[in-house]
Amino acid sequence: MGQFGIGQPMRRLEDARFLTGGGQYVDDIQQPGALRSYVLRSPYAHAQIVNIDTTAARAMPGVLGVFTAEDLAVDGIGDLLCQIPMTSKDGAKIIMPGHPVLARERVRHVGDPVAFVVAETLAQAKDAAEAIEVDYADLPAVTDTAAAIDPAAPQVWPEAPGNVSLDWELGDSEATAAGIAKAAHVTHLEIVNNRLIVNSLEPRGALGDYDAETEHFTLHTPTQGVHHLKTQLAAEVFHLPEDHFTVRTPDVGGGFGMKVFLYPEYVMVLWASRRLGRPVRWTGERSESFLSDSQGRDHVTRAELGLDADGRFLALRLSTTANMGAYLSSFSPFIPTGCYVVMCSGLYAIPAVYGEVKCVFSNTVPVDAYRGAGRPEAAYLVERLVNAAARETGLAPDEIRRRNFVPPAAMPYKTATGLTYDSGNFTALMEQAQARIGWADRDSRRTTAKAAGKLHGIGLSCYVEQCGSSTKEDARVALDADGGVTVYVGTQTNGQGHHTAYAQILNEKLDLAPELVRVRQGDSDELAYGSGTGGSRSLIMGGGAISAAADNVIEKARHVAGHLLEAAEADIEFRDGSFAVVGTDRRLTLAAVAKATHDGTDLPDEMQGPIDELARYRGPSMTFPNGCHACEVEIDPETGQVQIMRYVVVDDFGKLVNPLLAAGQVHGGTAQGIGQALLEHTQYDPDSGQLLSGSLMDYCLPRADNLPAIELTMVEDTPCTTNPMGVKGAGEAGSIGACAAVINAVIDALSPLGISHIDMPATPERVWRAIHDARA
């Protein structure tokens, strides 16, 4: 392990640039002559558009265009389409109406884009938007997830009876029913996984430019990968060849899944630029983010867990209603199906699992992937269910888990949902977490808290997630004249520290100092293909592609070194950044080879020119990071306030490339999980469909005083066996384990009052009401 190689806790190379004001975000990009734009959005959750009159708005000072769906139709602009065609359990195809760029005939949620105004200044665009007269005919709306499938509920789409887009299943229903039928005990649980608003630090934005001479569109926008957007814009929206489009992403201020997707504003800035002959900029405001960014979670689930007389799991059955919002976003139906139900075996050897999911429309903002994307929902369900089963059977929470964990000797283990876990020692992680948090003497702390008038609780959550990818990723490594390299890779950093991690991989491969590694991401012209960042895949897939491309560079450079050293290529070895003739002291540094190829000195024609190698990495299978969260809380029964006293995490991420980066990811993800468990509550008015939690005055994000110190241990005893680096992924793990740990601790604290259930978020009001009702 070198000073800058794999395994070292290097500080982020990116930080000096950001801390000294060198970051460049989309809103920082200056384009001469750029116009400003503003979106007029629907104030209704569901309404017919009777008429739109833009006459007055078009005549206002500085206004160059006021556009509606009719203008787009003339140019044949296509809808935004869901990218995941799926099939219901009866064989019927998923119902997935297109998402109009601007609303046609009807609006379906508050914030639906109705008109797009372009002017010389933002103030002029906003003034003109106020002058647009829209005649709406208000229609009944449905926002609640469970209510959406009520036969009497308003219909969001006429082609989706009962508001059901997809009725999906996974698993063996007969075997699961048989397992539950023969169970000595069956635990039943109904839970809500609350809807979340993403709130990335940097709002969405877009800068579109059209070159009429070359008929080429250029879009600058913060994404989690440019290539998918380029393909969608070309094939589905503008119906043009892909070589008419360039998508570029500079620095990104957080994504969390929300910035993966194509949004209407991105289409509009490009189309308007072509229409008006000037670049067009749109920058989202925080209030718009609440009404237009994809949101997360929003499940209602009923589940049953069957156990034998010894407390061993026999079968798990679940039925989930998942809210899709008014439109299907890019990957939305896959999140509560292929990302969620497949993980509902958890870390346990459950012989039979069956899950059914109804994906339903409602008059709300569309829902899609949010940090963890289905896996937090699965872990929350399973770990709440396991704790409930422990309570009902009289087993301790750790003991029931210990009896049912998949043992290390069973690896590789195929779950009842079809996944194959390659490695892990789940009992060891739980016991380490218990030791760290002082599980054995928790009763004494409960007594101390009681004497102070507080309720004390402690909760466990043992999680597993699938991440990485079994698809592909591209990378290019170009050898520069100074002996450094420029790396082009199809992933997209959103603040994770990609530059640092990739530099460490290349240090291991090429013995390069970090300052000699330049990383370029986010330009569809520089690399033909990329899968982007999401699902904790970047280190596994992007790192795998970079490693393979570096190997190609070594082989190409070995050929040149052989010529310069006048030795057979087979006699040349590469070690410690140099090529050497085996058995001699004749050697040539990689930097010398680089200089020679750039200069062309004394090289035959076939060796002339810089070395620039492309590699495509295909992930053989998913990886399965896992761990245990332990949370200790105290509750003030007079106010319902929950205070986290200690929080312990023990994680297995396989081989760690950079422990410091991994810890940062866990801390951030855990904070988001705690926020969901205790604070964040997306609230729609059930009658009007208005978003009541539509600002940071009403939607509570976690702050420093809500969060404890996170005591993190990362073990490397069980490296992943399915990729060359042995890594398992770490970007979303904190959010996956946190919710159940917190709520299990809250329920443990409330259990002396006879309270066995509470839904997220466990706000002071909700906790106080539960205590008040229990005492009544």
Side-chain angles (χ1 to χ4, degrees):
M1 184 192 298
Q3 181 183 358
F4 304 114
I6 290 175
Q8 292 290 343
M10 273 180 57
R11 291 189 176 275
R12 290 170 20 130
L13 301 174
E14 300 91 331
D15 286 350
R17 179 169 63 88
F18 288 126
L19 292 171
T20 56
Q24 186 186 54
Y25 299 87
V26 164
D27 207 49
D28 296 322
I29 297 171
Q30 299 302 310
Q31 194 93 351
L35 300 167
R36 301 301 300 266
S37 63
Y38 183 75
V39 179
L40 177 69
R41 301 183 184 276
S42 169
Y44 290 93
H46 198 195
Q48 199 75 21
I49 299 176
V50 178
N51 184 57
I52 304 177
D53 186 349
T54 62
T55 306
R58 293 175 191 272
M60 292 187 70
V63 174
L64 281 82
V66 181
F67 305 113
T68 67
E70 289 184 0
D71 299 298
L72 298 178
V74 171
D75 281 359
I77 297 300
D79 292 346
L80 311 184
L81 301 180
C82 176
Q83 303 298 298
I84 308 290
M86 300 183 71
T87 304
S88 289
K89 58 188 178 185
D90 64 358
K93 291 184 179 179
I94 185 173
I95 297 169
M96 47 183 193
H99 183 175
V101 175
L102 295 175
R104 287 193 304 268
E105 299 178 357
R106 185 174 291 200
V107 292
R108 289 181 167 85
H109 69 88
V110 173
D112 219 352
V114 174
F116 191 75
V117 184
V118 183
E120 294 288 352
T121 70
L122 180 58
Q124 290 171 333
K126 286 184 174 183
D127 288 344
E130 290 186 5
I132 299 172
E133 296 182 8
V134 185
D135 185 8
Y136 295 100
D138 195 9
L139 296 170
V142 60
T143 59
D144 181 74
T145 304
I149 55 175
D150 189 304
Q155 295 298 289
V156 181
W157 292 95
E159 59 264 51
N163 290 320
V164 176
S165 168
L166 177 72
D167 189 358
W168 183 89
E169 66 178 354
L170 178 72
D172 189 330
S173 61
E174 292 183 3
T176 304
I180 288 174
K182 72 179 182 181
H185 178 82
V186 179
T187 292
H188 300 266
L189 184 66
E190 183 168 342
I191 61 171
V192 173
N193 203 293
N194 45 319
R195 180 184 283 238
L196 301 174
I197 295 171
V198 178
N199 279 305
S200 59
L201 187 61
E202 176 203 25
R204 291 188 300 111
L207 175 62
D209 190 17
Y210 179 73
D211 186 323
E213 184 176 340
T214 61
E215 299 182 341
H216 193 87
F217 294 92
T218 301
L219 173 67
H220 289 87
T221 188
T223 74
Q224 293 178 226
V226 295
H227 294 89
H228 290 310
L229 265 64
K230 175 180 175 177
T231 298
Q232 286 179 260
L233 286 165
E236 298 169 1
V237 178
F238 287 91
H239 312 295
L240 292 169
E242 283 196 34
D243 60 9
H244 284 245
F245 294 84
T246 297
V247 180
R248 294 195 175 109
T249 291
D251 293 320
V252 180
F256 310 116
M258 178 270 291
K259 287 180 181 168
V260 169
F261 318 118
L262 180 62
Y263 289 89
E265 299 89 356
Y266 305 170
V267 176
M268 286 307 306
V269 295
L270 292 174
W271 180 84
S273 177
R274 183 174 68 178
R275 180 74 170 256
L276 300 173
R278 289 171 63 180
V280 177
R281 180 190 300 280
W282 172 80
T283 301
E285 298 179 359
R286 185 62 63 186
S287 59
E288 289 183 282
S289 298
F290 278 83
L291 298 175
S292 65
D293 295 356
S294 68
Q295 298 178 355
R297 317 291 193 241
D298 205 343
H299 290 189
V300 175
T301 298
R302 297 188 314 277
E304 305 164 277
L305 179 64
L307 302 87
D308 68 15
D310 294 322
R312 288 186 168 81
F313 304 157
L314 299 175
L316 188 154
R317 181 165 55 200
L318 66 107
S319 177
T320 293
T321 304
N323 199 332
M324 299 287 96
Y327 306 98
L328 294 187
S329 181
S330 296
F331 305 125
S332 56
F334 185 63
I335 306 307
T337 54
C339 291
Y340 160 64
V341 178
V342 293
M343 297 308 303
C344 283
S345 185
L347 295 169
Y348 307 107
I350 308 177
V353 176
Y354 174 74
E356 56 184 5
V357 178
K358 284 184 171 62
C359 296
V360 301
F361 291 114
S362 69
N363 296 113
T364 62
V365 175
V367 172
D368 211 313
Y370 173 67
R371 195 170 193 168
R375 289 100 78 200
E377 296 93 313
Y380 182 66
L381 171 65
V382 172
E383 291 303 286
R384 284 288 313 275
L385 197 55
V386 169
N387 254 40
R391 186 168 51 251
E392 293 172 4
T393 59
L395 291 170
D398 57 329
E399 179 56 28
I400 197 170
R401 289 173 168 82
R402 193 176 287 107
R403 292 186 188 187
N404 288 283
F405 279 144
V406 176
M411 301 295 178
Y413 177 82
K414 187 172 183 179
T415 71
T417 60
L419 300 177
T420 300
Y421 300 162
D422 65 290
S423 58
N425 189 340
F426 311 142
T427 299
L429 299 188
M430 180 184 72
E431 291 178 348
Q432 191 170 160
Q434 288 179 282
R436 290 287 306 277
I437 205 163
W439 184 270
D441 63 351
R442 63 193 184 280
D443 288 343
S444 66
R445 298 197 297 282
R446 186 186 295 265
T447 301
T448 302
K450 185 177 180 180
K454 301 293 181 64
L455 301 171
H456 174 276
I458 192 166
L460 292 175
S461 172
C462 298
Y463 79 91
V464 62
E465 65 156 322
Q466 60 168 336
C467 66
S469 177
S470 55
T471 56
K472 59 189 178 182
E473 189 58 78
D474 281 8
R476 282 171 48 212
V477 175
L479 196 55
D480 299 329
D482 64 354
V485 295
T486 300
V487 179
Y488 305 86
V489 63
T491 58
Q492 179 63 56
T493 185
N494 291 179
Q496 297 93 334
H498 286 187
H499 186 176
T500 305
Y502 293 158
Q504 290 181 259
I505 291 171
L506 287 167
N507 175 267
E508 200 83 8
K509 283 284 183 179
L510 303 176
D511 198 35
L512 288 175
E515 61 269 19
L516 290 176
V517 177
R518 301 112 190 167
V519 177
R520 293 189 60 83
Q521 302 176 75
D523 190 330
S524 64
D525 284 353
E526 293 183 342
L527 193 69
Y529 177 83
S531 289
T533 288
S536 303
R537 67 184 304 281
S538 293
L539 186 59
I540 298 158
M541 300 300 296
I546 289 168
S547 181
D551 286 339
N552 294 344
V553 166
I554 291 170
E555 291 311 306
K556 192 79 171 280
R558 189 194 311 274
H559 185 53
V560 175
H563 174 81
L564 295 173
L565 292 168
E566 299 179 339
E569 201 172 323
D571 294 333
I572 302 290
E573 67 174 358
F574 180 74
R575 189 175 63 224
D576 299 331
S578 294
F579 294 94
V581 180
V582 176
T584 75
D585 59 358
R586 296 166 56 207
R587 59 196 315 106
L588 201 62
T589 64
L590 183 64
V593 172
K595 186 175 186 303
T597 59
H598 279 266
D599 293 346
T601 307
D602 299 326
L603 292 179
D605 290 345
E606 67 271 16
M607 295 184 189
Q608 295 280 344
I611 294 173
D612 187 338
E613 291 296 303
L614 174 71
R616 172 163 289 178
Y617 178 76
R618 296 182 182 273
S621 68
M622 306 297 280
T623 73
F624 297 94
N626 58 89
C628 180
H629 288 223
C631 177
E632 186 170 3
V633 302
E634 287 186 1
I635 299 174
D636 183 340
E638 301 306 315
T639 65
Q641 183 70 46
V642 177
Q643 182 179 0
I644 299 178
M645 309 303 293
R646 288 187 65 198
Y647 201 99
V648 167
V649 181
V650 180
D651 280 322
D652 170 12
F653 298 138
K655 179 67 176 175
L656 293 168
V657 171
N658 186 317
L660 197 61
L661 293 183
Q665 292 298 301
V666 174
H667 290 179
T670 301
Q672 286 177 292
I674 291 171
Q676 178 175 9
L678 297 180
L679 303 167
E680 299 184 48
H681 190 34
T682 307
Q683 185 72 42
Y684 286 90
D685 182 88
D687 298 319
S688 69
Q690 294 294 322
L691 179 63
L692 301 178
S693 52
S695 75
L696 292 176
M697 293 292 290
D698 305 294
Y699 186 89
C700 186
L701 290 173
R703 294 169 171 80
D705 61 349
N706 301 123
L707 300 172
I710 296 169
E711 303 169 47
L712 173 63
T713 301
M714 294 178 286
V715 300
E716 299 183 75
D717 300 337
T718 53
C720 182
T721 63
T722 61
N723 65 72
M725 290 192 292
V727 299
K728 294 185 180 181
E732 295 161 299
S735 66
I736 294 168
C739 291
V742 174
I743 297 299
N744 282 340
V746 169
I747 293 173
D748 184 51
L750 298 175
S751 61
L753 302 176
I755 299 169
S756 60
H757 174 74
I758 195 165
D759 273 320
M760 299 187 290
T763 60
E765 178 192 4
R766 185 171 284 180
V767 173
W768 181 88
R769 288 188 183 278
I771 294 170
H772 178 78
D773 291 346
R775 288 175 170 174

